[in-house]
Amino acid sequence: MSAITGEQAILIEKPGLAGRISDFFWKHPHVFLAVMLAPPLLWLGIIYLGSLLALLLQSFFSIDDYSGLVNYEFTLSTYGQLLNEANLDIIIRTVSMAAIVTLFSALIAFPIAYYAARYARGKWKAIFYLGVMLPLWSSYLVKIYAWKLILAKEGILTWFLAKLNLLWLLDAWLSIPVIGGNSLSVSYTGTFIVFVYVWMPFMILPIQASLERVPANLIEASSDLGSTPQQTFRHVLFPLALPGIVAGSIFTFSLTLGDYIIPQIIGSSRLFIGQAVYAQQGTAGNIPLAAAFTVVPIVIMGLYLWMARKMGAFDAL
Amino acid sequence: MRSDRSTSAPPGLKIAAAGGLLFLHLPIMLIFLYAFTTEEKSYQFPPPGLTLQWFAVTWNRPDVWEALSLSVRVASIATAIALVLGTLCAAAVSQTRFFGRETISLLVILPIALPGIITGIALRSAFSMADIPFSIWTIVLGHATFCVVVVYNNAVARFRRVSGSLVEASMDLGANGLQTFRHVILPNISTALLAGGMLAFALSFDEVIVTTFTGGQQSTLPIWMLQELIRPRQRPVTNVVAMVVVLVTFLPILAAYYLTRDGDQIAGSGK
């Protein structure tokens, strides 16, 4: 009987340097973990968090009105400037746009997600999936460009409405103050359509994921018990899909909040938060105010994520 | 009540779903039509005529080629960095349980969860504070940071399905760490990494918001397009480039879908 104990069997050493290193890591899993985690954590920690914190720090500085140089003394006055009428306007405009875009994205996304989750089978399921993924991943700028083609005065939309003799409707819409304008491509309506188009696909997959978890017999039970489809939707389907809708709205809301390219290319000259940040750091050179402006979406998203977490939206992601 | 009643959708739902998908696809198809238009000065519809000449004009434009080549270089390097960092992070998070796992997931997702403009301006002010001149490497730095999450998501989903006992068996049979990685782990996760890598490439290739802050004089293809959108110089060339970009981004998405469709994960469920 050879007397190899368990202890010895484990301790048979592998030859060579690579073998010894492997053995060392095998016996010290925590060291191995640290070695694996160090590169990504150093990268994200230094490059990303480091610059983020440096930026936030600058929001507590102010800019000297006369010299235009940054005054490195702690102050809250830069945050005070956010409450200017003009800046407050920008914040309110952006947040309301993000809210309306999110609402309409949910309205358009829900039927697609519901059909894909409940009725699409086999080949159609794949078609629906790719039908959502391809627009979601296609180039952001190309999508905006496509809408520039559509909304242009000489573009396809005007042509289409002219064929239907509905141009008066477009003119009536454009003559409404605030949401109207000279043409759709320089109006809030245009900005809104493009926002919905670009960010709506992010809403579909989370809703679909939450709807796929609703058992079909629950819907049938509801209708067996005598409720109309509307009642079933209100009392059964919608509450169960809500975490998915909230999860999707995180994307649509956050992405609309920070975007500065869409309103720059399609929209009126009134600024959104992203454009204000861009203008403050670029032409105005007022980094402290730009930094304070970026805190607005961070705080709003923080609150939003906190609420979403309470509603269980993260399980639907 | 029989359950096959539910196999056909109510017509209203069908129309709404089809309408939603059309809304997503028609604008992209329009790009294909405009690439052939003979109209130079406006976005006139219907196009007065169709021509292939703009493809030749675009082919001979050095600025388009320069932008394309920079984009490809940036996306390749950023993808390579993201593959290494994302895989390491995914391996650590999924193979072992330790304090702070949730925090690490959050840290990886943060660069993409916060609006791109915040990442962009934060990096820009950090570069100017540290006196780092803008170059291709500052662009890569930004891109790699938000590409990690795509690789991470794909790799984490796959690692969950690879049993830890496989690794233990390999080590027990005398393989060292490198051999185990090459012959046991890599074959199991390769398709997930390929899918993640392709999505990371597509993400970097298309990125514009962070790049406007971290790029100096060089322009990547999206920056080139943005300049054309703000101040159009030769519209037909932009049309052709837009069409090519659509085609080029479709390929990695389709490939990533086919590589991961048998799995339990969704390759690109969040950008």
Side-chain angles (χ1 to χ4, degrees), chain A residues 129-130 133-134 137, chain B residues 154 158 190-199 201-202 247-262 265 267-268:
Chain A
Y129 181 70
L130 284 176
M133 289 307 273
L134 287 179
W137 277 89
Chain B
N154 275 276
R158 184 61 62 88
S190 58
T191 49
L193 289 190
L194 201 56
M198 273 192 259
L199 293 176
F201 189 92
L247 287 176
V248 168
T249 42
F250 271 20
L251 294 176
I253 306 314
L254 286 173
Y257 168 71
Y258 282 106
L259 285 170
T260 55
R261 65 181 162 159
D262 301 323
Q265 81 278 35

Side-chain angles (χ1 to χ4, degrees), chain A residues 14 18 22 33 43 51 58 119 126 129 131 133 137 139-141 145-146 148-149 154 159 197 223 254 260 264 274 281, chain B residues 6 23-25 42-43 45-46 96 113 117 122 126 129 145 171 175-177 206 212 222 229-230 239 257 266 268:
Chain A
K14 296 188 171 88
S22 310
L33 189 67
W43 182 287
S51 23
Q58 297 198 50
Y119 297 103
Y129 181 70
M133 289 307 273
W137 277 89
S139 166
Y140 165 79
L141 282 174
Y145 186 60
K148 207 173 158 113
L149 300 176
E154 69 277 11
W159 172 83
Y197 178 76
S223 68
S254 157
Y260 74 96
Q264 184 189 358
Q281 70 87 33
Chain B
S6 65
F23 171 63
L24 284 178
H25 286 270
S42 74
Y43 301 123
F45 189 91
T96 38
I117 189 163
M129 266 191 276
T145 304
M171 300 291 267
N176 65 32
D206 182 39
T212 50
L229 280 181
I230 295 169
N239 292 337
Y257 168 71
I266 299 165

Side-chain angles (χ1 to χ4, degrees), chain A residues 104-126:
Chain A
F104 273 81
S105 297
L107 284 178
I108 300 173
F110 194 89
I112 303 176
Y114 189 49
Y115 192 93
R118 202 157 133 73
Y119 297 103
R121 289 286 166 266
K123 194 181 77 180
W124 280 101
K125 192 116 189 162

Side-chain angles (χ1 to χ4, degrees), chain A residues 220 224, chain B residues 1-6:
Chain A
E220 280 154 22
D224 286 353
Chain B
M1 183 151 302
R2 288 171 53 101
S3 61
D4 58 17
R5 197 178 56 115
S6 65

Side-chain angles (χ1 to χ4, degrees), chain B residues 54-77:
Chain B
W54 299 117
F55 287 85
V57 173
T58 311
W59 186 269
N60 293 320
R61 280 279 292 267
D63 55 334
V64 174
W65 283 109
E66 271 163 37
L68 179 69
S69 123
L70 181 66
S71 274
V72 170
R73 271 180 291 154
V74 167
S76 311
I77 304 170

